[in-house]
Amino acid sequence: MKDVERNLRKHIGKKIKLARMQAEYTQEQLAEKLSLSTRYISQLERGIAFGSATTITNICKALNITSDFLFHDLIQNDTPIITDLVGQNFLDDYLKLDYYNKIVINTIAKELVKLQKEEAKNLKKKA
């Protein structure tokens, strides 16, 4: 398998895992819902296997995502992969948070951005 193919599979696998965690399914639950083996779900998420068009369609339906979620940034060359912008560990932890705590994190992030902008303005004034 070529490196390009391997990287595409890994990227799509990470997106499947991300969507599964957002839907709060275990690999076992998703496998049961799709009538697939847990091992196969694991292989999909790690990029070892790649599903048929039917399997990908069924995964999208089960996880309530669109194919655009899986493929958009692979087709748009100028769009960075989300894990390039945010670490995978952070994403995994964020997805485990309940709704309230996600709001807290989002609020903190917005406040930090405001503080950062104010600090940049103050530095410009001093210069």
Side-chain angles (χ1 to χ4, degrees):
M1 181 184 333
K2 294 182 181 179
D3 286 343
V4 172
E5 177 74 16
R6 187 176 295 115
N7 289 336
L8 288 172
R9 286 181 180 200
K10 284 184 178 185
H11 174 75
I12 293 166
K14 284 181 183 180
K15 290 288 198 86
I16 291 170
K17 180 179 179 180
L18 188 67
R20 176 182 58 78
M21 292 177 73
Q22 181 66 39
E24 298 181 353
Y25 286 132
T26 63
Q27 287 182 341
E28 293 81 10
Q29 290 169 323
L30 182 59
E32 185 175 318
K33 187 172 182 80
L34 297 170
S35 299
L36 299 170
S37 72
T38 303
R39 182 175 181 214
Y40 186 65
I41 298 296
S42 174
Q43 289 175 341
L44 286 171
E45 289 183 356
R46 290 180 291 141
I48 295 170
F50 187 75
S52 67
T54 302
T55 300
I56 296 298
T57 301
N58 289 338
I59 288 171
C60 288
K61 287 177 184 176
L63 297 175
N64 197 29
I65 58 173
T66 65
S67 59
D68 189 53
F69 174 79
L70 294 178
F71 300 106
H72 173 74
D73 50 349
L74 295 173
I75 297 167
Q76 299 289 343
N77 293 333
D78 58 345
T79 305
I81 297 172
I82 192 161
T83 54
D84 291 343
L85 303 172
V86 179
Q88 185 65 44
N89 290 338
F90 178 83
L91 281 175
D92 291 345
D93 290 341
Y94 180 83
L95 291 172
K96 293 175 188 173
L97 296 173
D98 62 23
Y99 179 74
Y100 174 79
N101 285 316
K102 286 178 182 175
I103 291 173
V104 170
I105 293 296
N106 292 338
T107 303
I108 291 170
K110 287 177 186 177
E111 291 301 315
L112 287 172
V113 169
K114 286 180 189 176
L115 288 172
Q116 185 173 293
K117 286 180 180 178
E118 288 176 22
E119 186 177 323
K121 282 181 188 178
N122 289 338
L123 288 174
K124 284 183 180 180
K125 287 179 184 178
K126 290 180 182 179

